[in-house]
Amino acid sequence: GAGAASRSSEGVVCGRGGPGPRPCEGTVREERKRRALRSAPVGFYPQKPGQELGKKSPDLGEYDPLTQADSDESEDDLVLNIQKNGGVKNGKSPPEEIQDPDSDVEVGMTKQHTSESAPEGYPAETAGSLEQKAAPSLMPYLRTAIFLLTVVISMILVLVCAFLIPCPPRDLHNTWNRNLGQGAGGVLSPLELCDVNSDGLPDILIVFTALMNASVMGVSRPSITVVALSGMNGSTLWTIQLPEETRSVQCNGLSLGAAAGPVCLVTGTSKFLSLLSASTGKTIWTLNSIHLSSGFLAAPAATLPDVDGDGIRDIVVLALKDRQPDMFFILVSGKTGTALGGPVKYSINGEGKVIGPQVHITSRGAIYILFGFGNVQAVALRDIFTQARNRDNFPAMLQQEEPEWEKRRSVNLSELIDIYSGGVDFLQTVKTPDTNCSNLLITTKESLILLRGQDLEHRWTLELQNISSQPVPGYFGADQTLDFMLQAQTGEGNKKVVVIDGKSGLPVWKQELPWQRQQLDALSVMTLDKKSVFLFWADETQPVLQSLQPGPRPERPGLHHLYLLHPVFPTVLLDLTNATDKVIASAVGINDLQKDAFHITVTTTATSEKQPGFLSVSKLGLKWAMMSQGRMVWLKDSSTPKISRGEVRRFLARMKFADFPQKV
């Protein structure tokens, strides 16, 4: 009947009242709720997964309006709940913006409804934030692509550098041995070390007389051979034959420019003087033998400053007459090998071993040539130049004079200046520290004399009998003044090794050692801490055992040992290696890339006089020998406190060698 109530499927009562149809209460509530949710900010009424809209949230403690009683205050309560949860901006809301919260629309509504219901006065970004977040952004993908592209390019560059840029070769062969075959007469000149193949490691140039097979069966002819051996592995880099025996091969101090590469100057024993390419062994120039038609070369050539003005250092040679007791100098162009004028003749004054020629430059810049025959004399390079060119004018570099030297000219005002007379065996120029002047070190059979280079006054003299080798310079003390190691014969198959202080001339270290063979010069090599280690040969018997057993010593041939002396441990010798054959030459080089040093030894087998022996060249890395096979030999009795082996090994492991000039 009229006014009768009926329920819909949702449980909402609809009916008629009044003149027109009455809307369903459930429909009105749903519309109000829908409007309220549209005007509410995003995130209002948070809903968990599976939670139905309008149910009580246990987390927030909020109540849905649908669960409240259907009363007149339901709308007011809904508005208060909306304000409490942030639905009203700044606590104010226009009356027209308060919507009915009765809606069953979920919080995750579409962005179209959200944008349409943005309240007035709110920023546009807030209303469209969901649309901006939902739109896919290209920026992360762009950053990822740039990062991956950078990684790929870096990997390509690393691979290009690894495969195309050559790495510096490493000296993997710390020791090697090379047999050169039969050699008649042994080594003809001192060993020369030079980087021939530009691998950063010095190579070895050796000159010897090789026996070559001739065309006639069973007949061998001698041939003067120069061989360049690789310092890396001992392989042959090049080999050439020379027309005569040689006095020296010098690869330092003369250069034709960086583009020409390293060069070597070869001085023969008769009339051969030639400049070779160190890289290939090919001849660059040879001095015309007509300049030596009446004489022969008496000593190795010496390099001069550039006196002809072509930018290349020049050369001076000392020659002797064949029949007359005269000598003469020849100036040679270092660039072309032509003689710079004629020979300059002088009379020989003295007897004995040939000394020089050596170039000496004083503190004033005056240039003198030192030479002699059992003595030391000097002649100004200016005098040689003017006589060779037969003119009075000379370069500006030759205009300087040293007054103290000029006072020593002979009474007859000849060009020769007397420096020292009497039994001179060796002459060396020694650079003084922190100055541009050099002193003169003179060695005789019985003494060692140091002359001041500026005025030729004696600084000190050391008396020592039977000096048998040239002094070896090195830094034994901490005063940065060069010291010297000497070797002298003591009789009964022994030798005395002495280190002389370069400042005072007094012995600072000495030891008597057994040695049955001919004397070999000691060697020295610098370390990074401005010290020098000294290397010398001696026989096998240990000094500490021999000092306890006086009398004749048992001879044990075939065991010659290479000893190393470091000034930090003066009571210990380090036995590096031994040789059973006769040692005839040795040298030491620097591997600057690895801060290491190596020792080169040339030996020959002991054979009969009619049968020549075989020459062998061996290399020994010093750091490798010290750490792997070095043996400590104590020089004093057991009462002296000994250094622990571990301390010595730790010190040697940190040692690094460097190619510092010895200033000699």
Side-chain angles (χ1 to χ4, degrees):
S6 62
R7 295 183 178 276
S8 66
S9 58
E10 291 85 0
V12 181
V13 179
C14 300
R16 294 181 179 268
R22 180 185 176 186
C24 296
E25 294 179 3
T27 304
V28 173
R29 291 179 179 177
E30 289 176 359
E31 183 64 21
R32 290 177 179 176
K33 185 177 180 180
R34 185 178 298 108
R35 290 184 216 170
L37 290 176
R38 287 178 181 175
S39 61
V42 177
F44 182 66
Y45 288 123
Q47 179 181 357
K48 293 184 179 180
Q51 180 181 357
E52 296 181 3
L53 186 65
K55 300 300 179 179
K56 180 179 179 180
S57 175
D59 297 333
L60 300 177
E62 299 174 2
Y63 290 88
D64 190 89
L66 294 179
T67 62
Q68 306 297 321
D70 188 10
S71 62
D72 295 335
E73 292 84 12
S74 61
E75 294 184 16
D76 297 334
D77 295 337
L78 178 61
V79 171
L80 292 176
N81 288 337
I82 292 175
Q83 294 177 355
K84 184 188 300 183
N85 288 277
V88 180
K89 183 177 181 181
N90 296 329
K92 298 180 180 180
S93 177
E96 63 270 17
E97 291 183 3
I98 302 178
Q99 304 296 334
D100 191 344
D102 294 337
S103 175
D104 56 354
V105 180
E106 298 180 355
V107 178
M109 63 183 61
T110 62
K111 60 184 177 181
Q112 180 180 357
H113 290 178
T114 305
S115 61
E116 291 176 356
S117 61
E120 193 175 346
Y122 277 69
E125 292 83 352
T126 305
S129 60
L130 287 179
E131 183 177 1
Q132 293 178 0
K133 291 182 180 179
S137 177
L138 295 178
M139 187 59 66
Y141 299 100
L142 183 60
R143 285 196 296 262
T144 303
I146 294 175
F147 172 75
L148 294 178
L149 183 62
T150 304
V151 172
V152 171
I153 294 176
S154 301
M155 293 178 62
I156 293 175
L157 291 177
V158 170
L159 293 176
V160 169
C161 294
F163 286 99
L164 297 184
I165 299 177
C167 297
R170 297 183 60 189
D171 185 11
L172 301 178
H173 302 272
N174 291 310
T175 179
W176 49 257
N177 186 75
R178 175 71 189 278
N179 188 0
L180 298 181
Q182 286 185 329
V187 178
L188 300 179
S189 63
L191 299 179
E192 183 71 8
L193 301 182
C194 176
D195 188 7
V196 169
N197 52 4
S198 301
D199 62 351
L201 186 67
D203 305 304
I204 302 98
L205 277 71
I206 179 173
V207 184
F208 64 100
T209 304
L211 294 180
M212 309 294 291
N213 293 329
S215 58
V216 180
M217 184 177 299
V219 177
S220 297
R221 58 181 179 85
S223 174
I224 310 302
T225 303
V226 182
V227 178
L229 301 178
S230 170
M232 185 75 68
N233 52 24
S235 60
T236 300
L237 300 176
W238 51 261
T239 303
I240 61 172
Q241 276 72 44
L242 300 180
E244 65 183 40
E245 295 185 355
T246 61
R247 295 188 184 276
S248 70
V249 177
Q250 307 169 58
C251 300
N252 298 316
L254 185 63
S255 175
L256 296 180
V263 294
C264 297
L265 183 65
V266 181
T267 305
T269 57
S270 180
K271 303 178 185 298
F272 181 75
L273 180 69
S274 181
L275 189 71
L276 307 178
S277 169
S279 302
T280 61
K282 295 182 179 180
T283 301
I284 298 176
W285 55 255
T286 301
L287 178 65
N288 194 334
S289 60
I290 194 173
H291 300 291
L292 297 168
S293 59
S294 60
F296 61 92
L297 298 172
T303 57
L304 300 171
D306 179 24
V307 296
D308 60 354
D310 59 0
I312 304 299
R313 299 185 66 177
D314 299 311
I315 301 166
V316 60
V317 295
L318 175 63
L320 293 175
K321 290 287 187 178
D322 290 331
R323 297 181 180 179
Q324 300 176 1
D326 292 332
M327 65 176 187
F328 56 94
F329 290 101
I330 300 177
L331 298 179
V332 181
S333 170
K335 185 175 183 178
T336 61
T338 58
L340 301 177
V344 180
K345 300 179 181 180
Y346 293 99
S347 298
I348 295 178
N349 181 15
E351 295 181 357
K353 187 177 179 180
V354 179
I355 303 298
Q358 294 187 24
V359 179
H360 180 76
I361 303 177
T362 66
S363 58
R364 294 175 177 267
I367 305 174
Y368 292 90
I369 307 300
L370 304 176
F371 70 98
F373 298 88
N375 57 3
V376 180
Q377 293 180 295
V379 59
L381 180 59
R382 177 185 58 188
D383 296 335
I384 298 177
F385 184 84
T386 54
Q387 293 186 52
R389 292 297 186 96
N390 196 18
R391 58 187 183 186
D392 295 334
N393 59 337
F394 39 77
M397 69 173 61
L398 302 180
Q399 295 180 1
Q400 296 294 332
E401 290 185 352
E402 188 65 42
E404 297 297 331
W405 286 56
E406 296 298 327
K407 292 179 181 179
R408 291 176 172 260
R409 287 187 182 272
S410 302
V411 180
N412 57 4
L413 300 181
S414 66
E415 292 84 357
L416 299 182
I417 301 173
D418 293 329
I419 304 296
Y420 188 87
S421 300
V424 178
D425 288 337
F426 305 104
L427 171 66
Q428 297 166 272
T429 57
V430 182
K431 186 70 178 298
T432 56
D434 301 327
T435 64
N436 60 349
C437 184
S438 298
N439 296 330
L440 302 181
L441 184 67
I442 298 174
T443 305
T444 67
K445 291 292 185 183
E446 293 81 19
S447 60
L448 189 68
I449 304 100
L450 185 67
L451 302 180
R452 190 160 49 194
Q454 184 175 359
D455 53 12
L456 300 177
E457 295 293 332
H458 284 65
R459 294 197 59 185
W460 50 258
T461 301
L462 172 70
E463 300 292 337
L464 184 64
Q465 299 295 321
N466 299 323
I467 299 176
S468 57
S469 65
Q470 185 172 354
V472 177
Y475 294 101
F476 193 87
D479 55 2
Q480 293 304 304
T481 301
L482 278 175
D483 307 309
F484 305 95
M485 174 174 278
L486 287 175
Q487 299 181 81
Q489 292 284 355
T490 60
E492 300 180 358
N494 296 334
K495 69 176 180 180
K496 180 182 293 185
V497 183
V498 185
V499 177
I500 309 301
D501 180 59
K503 182 175 292 187
S504 63
L506 300 176
V508 294
W509 185 91
K510 58 183 177 181
Q511 187 66 39
E512 186 172 339
L513 302 168
W515 181 245
Q516 304 289 336
R517 303 291 181 177
Q518 64 179 6
Q519 291 292 350
L520 292 171
D521 291 342
L523 300 169
S524 67
V525 56
M526 290 282 295
T527 61
L528 283 180
D529 58 354
K530 296 296 181 69
K531 295 284 186 179
S532 296
V533 295
F534 295 87
L535 302 165
F536 57 91
W537 288 90
D539 282 348
E540 180 207 12
T541 307
Q542 298 183 14
V544 63
L545 298 180
Q546 290 298 322
S547 62
L548 302 178
Q549 300 175 1
R553 299 188 173 112
E555 191 173 322
R556 301 182 65 180
L559 289 175
H560 315 304
H561 290 252
L562 178 64
Y563 291 105
L564 182 145
L565 171 65
H566 197 288
V568 176
F569 305 105
T571 61
V572 177
L573 290 179
L574 198 64
D575 185 2
L576 298 181
T577 187
N578 59 73
T580 57
D581 296 331
K582 181 180 179 181
V583 181
I584 58 177
S586 61
V588 65
I590 296 293
N591 184 351
D592 193 53
L593 295 176
Q594 300 182 7
K595 301 303 178 184
D596 195 3
F598 60 90
H599 185 271
I600 300 297
T601 305
V602 182
T603 59
T604 180
T605 57
T607 58
S608 61
E609 296 181 358
K610 296 182 180 180
Q611 183 68 24
F614 288 87
L615 287 177
S616 296
V617 182
S618 61
K619 173 194 170 184
L620 180 69
L622 291 189
K623 291 187 67 174
W624 177 84
M626 290 187 300
M627 300 305 299
S628 63
Q629 65 182 29
R631 184 172 60 94
M632 295 174 60
V633 179
W634 301 99
L635 300 180
K636 295 186 178 181
D637 56 2
S638 58
S639 63
T640 303
K642 294 186 177 181
I643 306 170
S644 65
R645 185 180 300 272
E647 182 180 355
V648 176
R649 287 184 61 86
R650 286 191 297 270
F651 179 83
L652 296 178
R654 297 190 302 266
M655 186 185 302
K656 294 182 179 180
F657 297 96
D659 191 12
F660 289 125
Q662 298 284 15
K663 300 180 181 179
V664 174

